[in-house]
Amino acid sequence: METTHPETYDGRQDHIPGLKTPEIESFTNVYEGKDYTIDFTVPEFTAVCPKTGLPDFGVIYVSYIPTKRCIELKSFKEYILSYRNVGIFHEFLVNKIMEDLIQAVEPKYLKVIGDYNARGGIKTIVTREYSKD
């Protein structure tokens, strides 16, 4: 018996890598050359399910070792809030945040985790790590 999928997601998220988001600002790291880790958490993250249009809730964790620049948190907050009405898969959100942070501050190391609330009986955690070495 052949299974058919009348609705496919293919092609519906192709715009995400180029999605225009607010600029993530940065400031000079006066301790450049010293390895230290900066961790921050976004405990009330929301975006939208691209299929149902219903909100997705989760926690975003960011951990990085800066090089020349550090992430300015107010601009990062505005950046995160820009996703509130965006229909985006969990997997793509974590990748988009990762790429935007790399572009903003070129860290030595970066880890982004999207830890989403259970939806439909499934809990999703998406992790991506980057190392400049």
Side-chain angles (χ1 to χ4, degrees), residues 6-16 50-51 87-89 92:
E7 188 175 321
T8 179
Y9 289 113
D10 291 342
R12 292 187 180 192
Q13 296 276 286
D14 291 352
H15 67 288
I16 296 299
K51 182 174 182 177
I88 187 168
F89 289 126
F92 298 159

Side-chain angles (χ1 to χ4, degrees), residues 1 5 11 22 27 40-41 47-48 56 62 67 74-77 83-84 101 103 105 110-111 118 121-122:
M1 174 183 225
H5 300 281
F27 57 89
F40 47 91
T41 304
V48 177
D56 279 334
V62 175
T67 54
K74 183 176 184 283
S75 69
F76 185 69
K77 176 182 174 180
Y83 287 101
R84 185 156 292 197
L101 289 173
Q103 182 178 1
V105 297
L110 175 62
K111 183 176 187 177
I122 298 175

Side-chain angles (χ1 to χ4, degrees), residues 45-58:
F45 178 81
T46 60
V48 177
C49 171
K51 182 174 182 177
T52 65
L54 296 172
D56 279 334
F57 298 93

Side-chain angles (χ1 to χ4, degrees), residues 45 56-60 90 93-94 114-118 123-124 126:
F45 178 81
D56 279 334
F57 298 93
V59 180
I60 304 296
H90 301 160
L93 175 81
V94 168
D115 184 352
Y116 293 90
N117 295 356
K123 177 167 179 49
T124 306
V126 180

Side-chain angles (χ1 to χ4, degrees), residues 7 10 15-17 30 36 44 50 57-58 64 68 72 74 90 100 104 108 121 126 129-130 132:
E7 188 175 321
D10 291 342
H15 67 288
I16 296 299
V30 298
Y36 63 98
E44 298 175 338
F57 298 93
Y64 74 104
K68 296 179 182 184
E72 193 280 317
K74 183 176 184 283
H90 301 160
D100 290 347
K108 180 176 182 178
V126 180
E129 289 184 76
Y130 162 85
K132 197 172 192 174

